[in-house]
Amino acid sequence: YRVEAANYAMASGTATVTILAKEMTANMLSVEPSGTTYTGEEVTATVTVKDGSKTLQQGTDYTIDENSTLQATDAGSYTIKVNGAGNYSGSQEIRWTITEADMEVTAEDVTATYDGNGYSINVENEPEDAVVTYATSQYGDYTTENPSFTEAGIHTVYYRVEAANYAMASGTATV
């Protein structure tokens, strides 16, 4: 800079102007979808970074960390890490989820007349690779062996169905 005034000696000097990068904050980030339910199809998450009403530009104002998960198929919780760039500094993370889908399994009651043969329930509509377990009491030991009954009476069978990416389903049917 330089300052001049009548009746004064000229003065000059230098000054430094420092503009610090703005620190990234968690409320600058949003992700869509933030949560969805498992369908078996790949889901792609899109992150948006805003400074107030200004939408920041990927590559100029921020970068997405290479270890971030932007695409997934399976149920779970995934993280996207955003690193400030240019006029922005610091890092923030945002999570998005794929929740387990509900199973629509069914098991019909079995009605038969005593004939000496064994009868058991049949659980239907379970997803591929599902594991069905059975018990003869609600809090009994569940096994993969479907109980079979030959004697007359009402026999309640409790079942549970478990499969990756699905919430456990359970129910009862009688023989």
Side-chain angles (χ1 to χ4, degrees):
Y1 65 88
R2 185 169 134 168
V3 178
E4 295 181 38
N7 300 319
Y8 290 96
M10 179 195 67
S12 63
T14 60
T16 302
V17 176
T18 303
I19 300 174
L20 300 174
K22 186 173 186 174
E23 188 74 21
M24 286 270 185
T25 61
N27 64 355
M28 295 171 86
L29 279 58
S30 64
V31 64
E32 285 296 326
S34 60
T36 190
T37 302
Y38 173 78
T39 64
E41 299 292 322
E42 183 175 74
V43 178
T44 300
T46 303
V47 67
T48 301
V49 183
K50 287 189 170 190
D51 183 1
S53 62
K54 177 186 175 189
T55 301
L56 303 186
Q57 298 301 308
Q58 185 175 347
T60 302
D61 301 313
Y62 69 92
T63 60
I64 304 279
D65 189 88
E66 65 184 26
N67 294 318
S68 296
T69 303
L70 294 168
Q71 286 123 358
T73 302
D74 293 333
S77 180
Y78 302 97
T79 302
I80 300 172
K81 184 177 181 181
V82 175
N83 300 311
N87 291 320
Y88 297 89
S89 65
S91 297
Q92 290 293 324
E93 292 182 351
I94 191 165
R95 292 188 178 279
W96 64 285
T97 59
I98 299 175
T99 57
E100 295 175 325
D102 291 329
M103 283 187 263
E104 302 293 330
V105 298
T106 59
E108 299 292 326
D109 292 337
V110 176
T111 302
T113 301
Y114 174 78
D115 60 7
N117 291 319
Y119 293 92
S120 57
I121 68 168
N122 184 28
V123 176
E124 298 177 342
N125 301 323
E126 68 271 15
E128 189 177 325
D129 299 327
V131 175
V132 182
T133 55
Y134 308 88
T136 54
S137 66
Q138 184 175 3
Y139 302 107
D141 291 330
Y142 283 76
T143 69
T144 56
E145 184 178 334
N146 190 351
S148 180
F149 301 94
T150 56
E151 300 300 319
I154 297 175
H155 309 280
T156 301
V157 178
Y158 298 83
Y159 64 88
R160 293 181 183 160
V161 183
E162 297 180 79
N165 298 307
Y166 291 90
M168 182 186 75
S170 62
T172 62
T174 58
V175 176

